[in-house]
Amino acid sequence: MKYISTRGKAPALNFEDVLLTGLASDGGLYIPETLPTFDKETIDGFKSLSYQELAFVIIKPFVDGAIADDELKNIIDESYSEFRHPAIAPLVQLDTNEWLLELFHGPTLAFKDFALQLLGRLLDAILKKKQQKVVIMGATSGDTGSAAIEGCSHSEYVDIFILHPHNKVSEVQRRQMTTCASPHVHNIAVEGNFDDCQSMVKQSFADQSFLPEGKRLVAVNSINWARIMAQIVYYFYAASRLGAPYREIGFSVPTGNFGDIFAGYIAKKMGLPINQLIVATNKNDILHRVLANNLYEKHPLEHTLSPSMDIMVSSNFERLLFDLFDKDGEALAAFMDKCNNESVQLPEKAFATARELFDSLAVDDDATCETIAKVYDESEYLLDPHTAIGVKAAREVRRSHDLPMVTLATAHPAKFSDAIEKVNLATPKLPHHMAHIMTDRERYTVLENDLSAVQAFIQKHS
């Protein structure tokens, strides 16, 4: 399988190279040139597979021989061995045809574990084979950083630098990153917002001359295709247990960077009968504005009770735009350049297609808290604020009440005490394996919002 850039000018890569490359040399994102598809009979058989067995079936075509089957199976088994529920991604019913897919049973209590536990081990396998050391540079709005550190810090082949916005993630999210004692892990608190961190990562990938000789950057953010690949699996897993392929399924996805819901879109293209994909977002609602009103423009970023979605620019939206622009990389590149400087609208045909593919809703903090309280009152189920946004969107804009609607429960509520306490509910205790982070020593460096300062720090410590 070959991977091509959304902007059309970078060379096509195989899986091994795309895993190590991240951002394409032309500034685009890599996507598969073709997608594997599954017929109804095959999807019907998925319901009898464990999560790990299904992951192997879904992932194998994308890896395309870069890693031997037996080794790939072992990597997948190891990646999910530390999840604290035997189903890995259990479904919980809230109401008739209303479900939650719990994606927070991994080691850092967030859906990012599904991709980053796998990504870390895939990297280790490839780097060991190449006997190559690399620098991981990533930006996080809260959950990606801790999951990346958990998934990659064991490797002797990487130095890890994670940028997070200073004082703009929850205390638990910060401590999950900063209490890691590995000398290969460096946490950088940037005096800015997530988009500033993300911009620094993209600029650094575009020009890596600041690195020591012989080193290269590897991405752990969802610009890395392997992140999307891993997330496709749980759409098939949930749908096959709720009647697919003989029953259509809807999904409501809390998302800021568009990566998680893009995985659902890919699952649909691979043959999964998804009848609705709902983009659920907070007040930082660029995705809702473009899908509802065809207006793509940056607004000032706001700090909310759902910090993992406090994102102004959704990087993975470019992967969808590539399809909406009929795979015309040159036209897409021109459009993306305009997005950086002005308010833009999608071409009429592209906007119409996007409206057919997605529904959306923006949910503010008050509505988030109301939803947490309402669901707890109904069922004593405690939602984290991101999942609450997904539930609110599912209830507001679902197209059919006769078909299952699954909201992705993206994080454990113990990570977001501010939202839970605002509803006058008790924040659940952290699981036993994580309780130590609240007393362990933290290690992080606060840097000004300046690319040269960040790059100088990375150069010094890698």
Side-chain angles (χ1 to χ4, degrees), residues 197-208:
C197 298
Q198 183 167 252
S199 177
M200 288 184 190
V201 171
K202 288 184 175 181
Q203 290 179 71
S204 297
F205 271 86
D207 180 2
Q208 301 185 24

Side-chain angles (χ1 to χ4, degrees), residues 387-400:
T387 307
I389 287 171
V391 170
K392 174 69 172 177
R395 292 180 173 184
E396 289 284 328
V397 301
R398 65 187 297 182
R399 296 175 183 176
S400 171

Side-chain angles (χ1 to χ4, degrees), residues 295-314:
L295 184 61
Y296 193 98
E297 65 177 1
K298 299 176 185 178
H299 286 183
L301 191 137
E302 297 191 44
H303 184 48
T304 73
L305 293 172
S306 47
S308 296
M309 297 192 292
D310 287 347
I311 295 170
M312 183 169 57
V313 178
S314 300

Side-chain angles (χ1 to χ4, degrees), residues 120-338:
R121 288 167 174 82
L122 290 171
L123 281 172
D124 219 26
I126 298 298
L127 293 172
K128 184 177 181 180
K129 182 170 69 173
K130 290 177 171 289
Q131 285 297 298
Q132 179 181 357
K133 293 189 175 183
V134 298
V135 174
I136 287 177
M137 183 181 184
T140 185
S141 54
D143 290 328
T144 291
S146 57
I149 290 168
E150 180 70 29
C152 302
S153 61
H154 64 276
S155 176
E156 61 185 280
Y157 298 97
V158 301
D159 288 306
I160 304 171
F161 297 84
I162 299 295
L163 284 60
H164 73 267
H166 187 42
N167 291 330
K168 293 183 175 68
V169 300
S170 77
E171 182 181 10
V172 171
Q173 287 177 312
R174 187 191 73 243
R175 284 180 170 274
Q176 280 185 301
M177 296 184 285
T178 60
T179 55
C180 178
S182 170
H184 299 291
V185 173
H186 306 274
N187 286 285
I188 301 172
V190 176
E191 293 180 321
N193 58 41
F194 169 76
D195 287 292
D196 297 322
C197 298
Q198 183 167 252
S199 177
M200 288 184 190
V201 171
K202 288 184 175 181
Q203 290 179 71
S204 297
F205 271 86
D207 180 2
Q208 301 185 24
S209 59
F210 68 95
L211 290 174
E213 187 176 352
K215 292 290 182 75
R216 64 185 291 187
L217 289 181
V218 168
V220 292
N221 284 79
S222 52
I223 60 174
N224 192 315
W225 169 256
R227 286 274 308 272
I228 306 296
M229 174 189 75
Q231 292 168 327
I232 295 167
V233 178
Y234 47 69
Y235 285 92
F236 277 95
Y237 185 77
S240 65
R241 276 139 183 82
L242 292 174
Y246 304 110
R247 193 184 194 194
E248 292 186 329
I249 314 293
F251 289 93
S252 178
V253 185
T255 188
N257 221 4
F258 205 75
D260 206 8
I261 197 162
F262 184 76
Y265 167 72
I266 293 295
K268 182 175 181 177
K269 293 183 70 175
M270 291 170 65
L272 194 63
I274 296 176
N275 80 308
Q276 187 178 16
L277 286 166
I278 300 173
V279 173
T281 190
N282 62 18
K283 289 185 73 175
N284 299 294
D285 60 349
I286 188 170
L287 290 172
H288 174 60
R289 283 184 276 115
V290 71
L291 291 170
N293 303 311
N294 196 15
L295 184 61
Y296 193 98
E297 65 177 1
K298 299 176 185 178
H299 286 183
L301 191 137
E302 297 191 44
H303 184 48
T304 73
L305 293 172
S306 47
S308 296
M309 297 192 292
D310 287 347
I311 295 170
M312 183 169 57
V313 178
S314 300
S315 291
N316 279 288
F317 195 59
E318 180 169 336
R319 284 185 161 118
L320 174 68
L321 289 174
F322 184 66
D323 280 1
L324 298 182
F325 278 69
D326 295 322
K327 304 188 187 313
D328 185 339
E330 186 175 349
L332 177 56
F335 180 83
M336 296 308 297
D337 286 342
K338 284 185 178 180

Side-chain angles (χ1 to χ4, degrees), residues 41-106:
E41 184 178 0
T42 302
I43 295 173
D44 187 41
F46 288 169
K47 64 179 180 288
S48 63
L49 301 181
S50 69
Y51 191 91
Q52 296 91 324
E53 290 169 336
L54 178 59
F56 175 75
V57 173
I58 300 296
I59 289 169
K60 178 182 175 179
F62 294 107
V63 174
D64 196 26
I67 298 173
D69 286 358
D70 287 347
E71 186 177 8
L72 181 59
K73 287 179 180 178
N74 288 335
I75 286 172
I76 290 170
D77 288 345
E78 289 176 5
S79 297
Y80 300 113
S81 63
E82 296 183 19
F83 279 58
R84 286 167 170 76
H85 194 292
I88 310 300
L91 283 158
V92 173
Q93 189 166 12
L94 286 183
D95 202 343
T96 303
N97 283 332
E98 185 181 21
W99 301 81
L100 294 173
L101 181 64
E102 291 186 339
L103 301 177
F104 51 73
H105 293 285

